[in-house]
């Protein structure tokens, strides 16, 4: 997934995948984590088009 600079700047950043996934578990909607190629940190996204389901689902 390619993140545009403007989107990256607006998103919350997490230093570790574990920290990001902990926040995703507490969300009302299904979120997944990804490492951003621009900032090198982790973000959350609700987009799943064309992606395999995360481990533990299905």
């Amino acid at each position: 997934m390619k993140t545009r600079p403007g989107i990256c700047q607006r998103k919350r950043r997490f230093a570790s995948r574990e920290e990001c996934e902990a926040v995703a578990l507490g969300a009302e909607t299904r979120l997944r984590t990804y490492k951003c190629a621009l900032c090198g940190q982790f973000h959350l996204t609700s987009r799943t088009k064309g992606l395999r389901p995360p481990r533990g689902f299905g």
Side-chain angles (χ1 to χ4, degrees):
M1 174 178 294
K2 293 184 179 181
T3 304
R4 295 186 311 241
I7 301 297
C8 175
Q9 291 173 355
R10 287 191 299 260
K11 286 192 170 191
R12 185 172 169 189
R13 295 181 176 126
F14 299 91
S16 70
R17 182 177 300 275
E18 292 78 18
E19 180 185 2
C20 195
E21 288 176 350
V23 172
L25 288 174
E28 292 181 13
T29 60
R30 184 186 286 182
L31 298 173
R32 67 172 199 85
T33 63
Y34 70 96
K35 187 167 186 176
C36 180
L38 294 174
C39 69
Q41 294 187 322
F42 294 90
H43 297 299
L44 291 168
T45 185
S46 61
R47 297 189 74 174
T48 58
K49 184 175 180 180
L51 299 174
R52 288 179 283 170
R55 285 178 273 167
F57 289 97

